[in-house]
Amino acid sequence: MPKLSENELIDALQKGDEAAYRLLIHKYNSMIQNVIYKMVEDQDDTKDLSQEVWIRIWKSIGKFRRKSSLQTWIYRISIHSALNHIRKKQRLRLVSFSHSDALESTTYAESPIASGFDKMDQHDQAAIIRSALNRLTAKQKAAFILSNAEGLSNAETAEVLETSVSAVESLLIRAKRKLKQELLNSYLSE
Amino acid sequence: MATQASECTTYRNLMLEDIVGSLSATEQETLQQHLKSCSSCFKQYATLKVGMEVWRQPSHFIPDEEMIHLVTQKSHKIVFDFFSVYTVRSLASVAAAILIGIGIGLAIPKYDASKYSSYSALQDYYVDMISDDIFSFDLFDEYPLP
């Protein structure tokens, strides 16, 4: 398929062009899976959720009004799917509270935090960052990921999260403060 | 030595601020100056920085053909299902609307003008008479007004 501009690609998708859909998957799949993986931190869940996202894109591309860029719209669908997944998981965790409590203590004992600062490799260090990020609220985490890992501006992050720029700024300030505290507690106290 | 340790604690705060991305340019300069002179802090800072970079790095999820095929198939199936459900629902709605219309039409009694207007009653009376005795010339004598 020849290289298409964003508008041409959207036109083709809205006409139900399967080749355009394949092109879109090639172009944005990595971005979708990365952002979902950072949110849910599970390979299998990431795979399932990204498939869901693609199906939602296919189903709702006809309703896409081009008020935002295609990338922002795809980010929005991905983040919403991840947030819904996290909410569902939290609800499940609440139901089996006693069980998950025991599980969490086991995970903590086996986590790299307990293994000592000097012995850590790069992946352990990244795991500490992830563990600290998990202490944030889902929305704080989403704002932090979009801003720090995906490199989106506050305005773009606000568009993805369907909120105001000032709300994003406040989310980021609280996220960074909490993250710093968590890292301070778990990392440098070694 | 104690002063050096407390100084390092202060810089640890700055390190973390830098890692999470909330350090100003001036503070960053101050931190860099300290890192040049303190190997212990430099080591910790480097470890933190690498950790954050590893987390930030995108994992390269390359869509394989099997995945694309699966997603395309599922998407089409959903569109097809959606249409079939949509069609069935639409037809059911139209049928229900027609039945309701017929029901309402049968349930409402027909408007009978003669019940509400004496003039209409009179008209009907003469029409009936004329149709019954179409050849009668003494119609008005035979059938006086009621």
Side-chain angles (χ1 to χ4, degrees), chain A residues 7-177:
Chain A
N7 271 331
E8 287 170 334
L9 183 63
I10 297 165
D11 286 340
L13 287 165
Q14 289 183 333
K15 283 174 195 158
D17 187 337
E18 201 181 302
Y21 184 53
R22 283 171 173 270
L23 189 75
L24 194 77
I25 295 177
H26 276 289
K27 196 172 174 188
Y28 288 107
N29 188 61
S30 192
M31 180 192 97
I32 290 175
Q33 293 207 329
N34 272 311
V35 78
I36 292 177
Y37 183 68
K38 282 193 169 66
M39 286 293 292
V40 303
E41 285 157 14
D42 183 279
Q43 288 272 4
D44 293 335
D45 288 349
T46 301
K47 213 173 163 187
D48 293 345
L49 282 171
S50 64
Q51 282 185 14
E52 270 179 43
V53 166
W54 281 117
I55 291 163
R56 278 181 71 181
I57 288 171
W58 178 256
K59 269 174 75 180
S60 46
I61 190 72
K63 293 177 206 157
F64 179 56
R65 297 279 165 263
R66 304 176 204 214
K67 283 179 186 165
S68 59
S69 71
L70 188 61
Q71 181 182 278
T72 306
W73 184 69
I74 294 174
Y75 265 130
R76 194 181 303 152
I77 295 176
S78 313
I79 287 285
H80 277 235
S81 296
L83 286 174
N84 280 340
H85 176 81
I86 291 169
R87 264 182 228 126
K88 270 184 212 163
K89 261 198 158 176
Q90 278 171 346
R91 241 176 275 149
L92 275 174
R93 207 177 295 159
L94 276 176
V95 172
S96 57
F97 182 70
S98 54
H99 173 71
S100 73
D101 229 20
L103 198 72
E104 210 162 272
S105 60
T106 318
T107 321
Y108 179 78
E110 288 163 358
S111 80
I113 299 168
S115 68
F117 181 80
D118 289 332
K119 293 173 199 164
M120 292 175 206
D121 67 6
Q122 288 183 356
H123 293 283
D124 288 341
Q125 292 147 20
I128 287 178
I129 308 278
R130 281 203 296 273
S131 161
L133 275 165
N134 280 338
R135 306 275 175 181
L136 306 181
T137 65
K139 231 170 178 182
Q140 285 173 352
K141 191 178 176 185
F144 188 82
I145 289 168
L146 290 170
S147 166
N148 278 52
E150 300 297 311
L152 265 60
S153 68
N154 286 358
E156 288 168 325
T157 306
E159 244 185 284
V160 172
L161 297 178
E162 291 176 293
T163 186
S164 65
V165 175
S166 56
V168 166
E169 283 166 357
S170 142
L171 272 174
L172 284 173
I173 289 171
R174 276 181 277 140
K176 285 172 181 178
R177 198 185 298 150

Side-chain angles (χ1 to χ4, degrees), chain A residues 16 18 21-22 25-26 29-30 33-34 37-38 41 43 46-47 50-51 54-55 58-59 117-118 120 122-123 125-126 129-130 133 144-145 148-150 175-177 179-181 183-184 187-190, chain B residues 9 12-17 19-22 40 43-65 67-79 82:
Chain A
E18 201 181 302
Y21 184 53
R22 283 171 173 270
I25 295 177
H26 276 289
N29 188 61
S30 192
Q33 293 207 329
N34 272 311
Y37 183 68
K38 282 193 169 66
E41 285 157 14
Q43 288 272 4
T46 301
K47 213 173 163 187
S50 64
Q51 282 185 14
W54 281 117
I55 291 163
W58 178 256
K59 269 174 75 180
F117 181 80
D118 289 332
M120 292 175 206
Q122 288 183 356
H123 293 283
Q125 292 147 20
I129 308 278
R130 281 203 296 273
L133 275 165
F144 188 82
I145 289 168
N148 278 52
E150 300 297 311
K176 285 172 181 178
R177 198 185 298 150
L179 192 58
K180 187 189 141 192
Q181 195 53 51
L183 287 173
L184 197 68
Y187 217 143
L188 297 177
S189 57
E190 295 293 322
Chain B
T9 312
R12 275 179 183 178
N13 262 323
L14 287 183
M15 277 189 236
L16 289 169
E17 296 266 359
I19 294 301
V20 299
S22 53
S40 160
K43 194 179 166 192
Q44 288 191 345
Y45 176 77
T47 313
L48 275 167
K49 198 85 178 163
V50 168
M52 188 52 111
E53 280 311 311
V54 169
W55 171 78
R56 200 176 276 144
Q57 281 298 311
S59 319
H60 292 286
F61 294 101
I62 299 157
D64 51 279
E65 272 308 308
M67 180 257 178
I68 295 175
H69 180 69
L70 187 72
V71 167
T72 320
Q73 233 183 4
K74 275 187 185 178
S75 303
H76 281 112
K77 190 176 182 297
I78 278 173
V79 172
F82 170 76

Side-chain angles (χ1 to χ4, degrees), chain B residues 69-104:
Chain B
H69 180 69
L70 187 72
V71 167
T72 320
Q73 233 183 4
K74 275 187 185 178
S75 303
H76 281 112
K77 190 176 182 297
I78 278 173
V79 172
F80 175 74
D81 286 350
F82 170 76
F83 271 117
S84 62
V85 168
Y86 178 76
T87 314
V88 168
R89 277 188 191 162
S90 305
L91 288 173
S93 307
V94 169
I98 290 169
L99 284 174
I100 290 168
I102 292 169
I104 291 171

